[in-house]
């Protein structure tokens, strides 16, 4: 996961937050995001589905968050 995070940081523009599909699934109720499609990242055999986090949702759905954030 750390290697993936580092690769996404390298791909991101200034001020841009890129996350994997797994992270997007966890934060989707809280943020607006758009798919940027699969990216070919160094060190990964297959393209990785990536999302661009645009910002917080105006009205997040607290009932959609099913587990506590540590």
């Amino acid at each position: 996961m750390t290697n993936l995070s580092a690769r996404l940081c390298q791909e991101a523009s200034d001020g841009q937050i890129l996350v994997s599909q797994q992270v997007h699934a966890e934060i989707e109720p809280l943020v607006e995001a758009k798919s940027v499609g699969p990216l070919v990242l160094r060190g990964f055999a297959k393209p990785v589905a990536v999302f661009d986090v645009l910002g917080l949702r105006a009205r997040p759905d607290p009932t959609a968050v099913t587990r506590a954030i540590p």
Side-chain angles (χ1 to χ4, degrees):
M1 188 73 137
T2 303
N3 191 33
L4 176 55
S5 298
R7 298 293 177 252
L8 292 175
C9 284
Q10 290 171 345
E11 292 292 323
S13 303
D14 288 343
Q16 185 180 38
I17 301 171
L18 297 178
V19 296
S20 67
Q21 184 172 7
Q22 181 179 2
V23 170
H24 177 259
E26 294 289 329
I27 63 173
E28 184 176 16
L30 305 173
V31 300
E32 296 288 340
K34 70 175 183 176
S35 173
V36 294
L39 294 180
V40 177
L41 301 173
R42 185 172 53 114
F44 291 85
K46 298 179 181 178
V48 177
V50 176
F51 292 81
D52 181 6
V53 176
L54 305 173
L56 294 174
R57 288 190 186 276
R59 296 185 185 269
D61 180 3
T63 62
V65 180
T66 58
R67 65 180 202 187
I69 298 173

